PDB file of all heavy atoms in Angstrom:
ATOM      1  N   LEU A  14      46.765 113.430 108.231  1.00 97.00           N
ATOM      2  CA  LEU A  14      47.969 112.884 108.786  1.00 97.00           C
ATOM      3  C   LEU A  14      48.983 112.629 107.666  1.00 97.00           C
ATOM      4  O   LEU A  14      50.205 112.928 107.843  1.00 97.00           O
ATOM      5  CB  LEU A  14      47.637 111.607 109.520  1.00 97.00           C
ATOM      6  CG  LEU A  14      46.963 111.744 110.851  1.00 97.00           C
ATOM      7  CD1 LEU A  14      46.549 110.379 111.416  1.00 97.00           C
ATOM      8  CD2 LEU A  14      47.846 112.475 111.820  1.00 97.00           C
ATOM      9  N   VAL A  15      48.595 112.129 106.516  1.00 97.00           N
ATOM     10  CA  VAL A  15      49.526 111.832 105.424  1.00 97.00           C
ATOM     11  C   VAL A  15      50.109 113.164 104.919  1.00 97.00           C
ATOM     12  O   VAL A  15      51.307 113.318 104.664  1.00 97.00           O
ATOM     13  CB  VAL A  15      48.833 111.044 104.278  1.00 97.00           C
ATOM     14  CG1 VAL A  15      49.689 110.982 103.041  1.00 97.00           C
ATOM     15  CG2 VAL A  15      48.499 109.651 104.780  1.00 97.00           C
ATOM     16  N   LEU A  16      49.260 114.194 104.709  1.00 97.00           N
ATOM     17  CA  LEU A  16      49.727 115.501 104.260  1.00 97.00           C
ATOM     18  C   LEU A  16      50.691 116.173 105.265  1.00 97.00           C
ATOM     19  O   LEU A  16      51.687 116.698 104.867  1.00 97.00           O
ATOM     20  CB  LEU A  16      48.560 116.419 103.927  1.00 97.00           C
ATOM     21  CG  LEU A  16      47.799 116.149 102.640  1.00 97.00           C
ATOM     22  CD1 LEU A  16      46.568 117.045 102.498  1.00 97.00           C
ATOM     23  CD2 LEU A  16      48.681 116.229 101.448  1.00 97.00           C
ATOM     24  N   THR A  17      50.398 116.022 106.547  1.00 97.00           N
ATOM     25  CA  THR A  17      51.228 116.602 107.587  1.00 97.00           C
ATOM     26  C   THR A  17      52.581 115.895 107.555  1.00 97.00           C
ATOM     27  O   THR A  17      53.637 116.570 107.606  1.00 97.00           O
ATOM     28  CB  THR A  17      50.530 116.397 108.938  1.00 97.00           C
ATOM     29  OG1 THR A  17      49.327 117.113 108.963  1.00 97.00           O
ATOM     30  CG2 THR A  17      51.457 116.993 110.034  1.00 97.00           C
ATOM     31  N   ALA A  18      52.601 114.591 107.386  1.00 97.00           N
ATOM     32  CA  ALA A  18      53.898 113.857 107.381  1.00 97.00           C
ATOM     33  C   ALA A  18      54.676 114.225 106.133  1.00 97.00           C
ATOM     34  O   ALA A  18      55.892 114.405 106.177  1.00 97.00           O
ATOM     35  CB  ALA A  18      53.639 112.341 107.386  1.00 97.00           C
ATOM     36  N   ALA A  19      54.039 114.440 105.010  1.00 97.00           N
ATOM     37  CA  ALA A  19      54.710 114.808 103.796  1.00 97.00           C
ATOM     38  C   ALA A  19      55.280 116.212 103.898  1.00 97.00           C
ATOM     39  O   ALA A  19      56.433 116.500 103.543  1.00 97.00           O
ATOM     40  CB  ALA A  19      53.785 114.767 102.583  1.00 97.00           C
ATOM     41  N   VAL A  20      54.510 117.174 104.486  1.00 97.00           N
ATOM     42  CA  VAL A  20      55.009 118.533 104.676  1.00 97.00           C
ATOM     43  C   VAL A  20      56.221 118.522 105.629  1.00 97.00           C
ATOM     44  O   VAL A  20      57.206 119.248 105.370  1.00 97.00           O
ATOM     45  CB  VAL A  20      53.915 119.430 105.132  1.00 97.00           C
ATOM     46  CG1 VAL A  20      54.413 120.778 105.626  1.00 97.00           C
ATOM     47  CG2 VAL A  20      52.868 119.667 104.059  1.00 97.00           C
ATOM     48  N   CYS A  21      56.163 117.754 106.664  1.00 96.00           N
ATOM     49  CA  CYS A  21      57.260 117.678 107.630  1.00 96.00           C
ATOM     50  C   CYS A  21      58.499 117.090 106.969  1.00 96.00           C
ATOM     51  O   CYS A  21      59.639 117.550 107.201  1.00 96.00           O
ATOM     52  CB  CYS A  21      56.878 116.838 108.872  1.00 96.00           C
ATOM     53  SG  CYS A  21      55.723 117.654 109.917  1.00 96.00           S
ATOM     54  N   ALA A  22      58.364 116.069 106.190  1.00 96.00           N
ATOM     55  CA  ALA A  22      59.503 115.430 105.491  1.00 96.00           C
ATOM     56  C   ALA A  22      60.125 116.413 104.490  1.00 96.00           C
ATOM     57  O   ALA A  22      61.357 116.552 104.473  1.00 96.00           O
ATOM     58  CB  ALA A  22      59.034 114.146 104.776  1.00 96.00           C
ATOM     59  N   VAL A  23      59.323 117.078 103.722  1.00 96.00           N
ATOM     60  CA  VAL A  23      59.859 118.063 102.759  1.00 96.00           C
ATOM     61  C   VAL A  23      60.532 119.246 103.501  1.00 96.00           C
ATOM     62  O   VAL A  23      61.624 119.706 103.121  1.00 96.00           O
ATOM     63  CB  VAL A  23      58.779 118.535 101.800  1.00 96.00           C
ATOM     64  CG1 VAL A  23      59.242 119.732 100.980  1.00 96.00           C
ATOM     65  CG2 VAL A  23      58.303 117.405 100.909  1.00 96.00           C
ATOM     66  N   GLY A  24      59.863 119.714 104.552  1.00 95.00           N
ATOM     67  CA  GLY A  24      60.461 120.843 105.326  1.00 95.00           C
ATOM     68  C   GLY A  24      61.753 120.477 105.954  1.00 95.00           C
ATOM     69  O   GLY A  24      62.687 121.275 105.992  1.00 95.00           O
ATOM     70  N   PHE A  25      61.863 119.282 106.515  1.00 94.00           N
ATOM     71  CA  PHE A  25      63.085 118.844 107.164  1.00 94.00           C
ATOM     72  C   PHE A  25      64.222 118.709 106.113  1.00 94.00           C
ATOM     73  O   PHE A  25      65.343 119.134 106.390  1.00 94.00           O
ATOM     74  CB  PHE A  25      62.922 117.483 107.859  1.00 94.00           C
ATOM     75  CG  PHE A  25      64.165 117.039 108.489  1.00 94.00           C
ATOM     76  CD1 PHE A  25      64.587 117.542 109.704  1.00 94.00           C
ATOM     77  CD2 PHE A  25      64.936 116.038 107.926  1.00 94.00           C
ATOM     78  CE1 PHE A  25      65.797 117.131 110.299  1.00 94.00           C
ATOM     79  CE2 PHE A  25      66.133 115.600 108.502  1.00 94.00           C
ATOM     80  CZ  PHE A  25      66.535 116.168 109.707  1.00 94.00           C
ATOM     81  N   SER A  26      63.909 118.139 104.952  1.00 90.00           N
ATOM     82  CA  SER A  26      64.974 118.008 103.918  1.00 90.00           C
ATOM     83  C   SER A  26      65.426 119.363 103.430  1.00 90.00           C
ATOM     84  O   SER A  26      66.622 119.501 103.066  1.00 90.00           O
ATOM     85  CB  SER A  26      64.488 117.145 102.803  1.00 90.00           C
ATOM     86  OG  SER A  26      63.432 117.787 102.055  1.00 90.00           O
ATOM     87  N   LEU A  27      64.595 120.354 103.404  1.00 91.00           N
ATOM     88  CA  LEU A  27      64.994 121.681 102.984  1.00 91.00           C
ATOM     89  C   LEU A  27      65.746 122.441 104.070  1.00 91.00           C
ATOM     90  O   LEU A  27      66.614 123.261 103.781  1.00 91.00           O
ATOM     91  CB  LEU A  27      63.763 122.520 102.542  1.00 91.00           C
ATOM     92  CG  LEU A  27      63.048 122.062 101.275  1.00 91.00           C
ATOM     93  CD1 LEU A  27      61.780 122.879 101.052  1.00 91.00           C
ATOM     94  CD2 LEU A  27      63.954 122.159 100.103  1.00 91.00           C
ATOM     95  N   ALA A  28      65.424 122.176 105.338  1.00 92.00           N
ATOM     96  CA  ALA A  28      66.072 122.917 106.463  1.00 92.00           C
ATOM     97  C   ALA A  28      67.330 122.216 106.955  1.00 92.00           C
ATOM     98  O   ALA A  28      68.137 122.893 107.595  1.00 92.00           O
ATOM     99  CB  ALA A  28      65.036 123.060 107.586  1.00 92.00           C
ATOM    100  N   ALA A  29      67.470 120.939 106.711  1.00 92.00           N
ATOM    101  CA  ALA A  29      68.641 120.273 107.232  1.00 92.00           C
ATOM    102  C   ALA A  29      69.952 120.680 106.562  1.00 92.00           C
ATOM    103  O   ALA A  29      69.972 120.992 105.388  1.00 92.00           O
ATOM    104  CB  ALA A  29      68.466 118.730 107.081  1.00 92.00           C
TER     105      ALA A  29
END
Side-chain angles (χ1 to χ4, degrees):
L14 287 173
V15 169
L16 285 176
T17 301
V20 167
C21 288
V23 169
F25 179 78
S26 66
L27 292 174

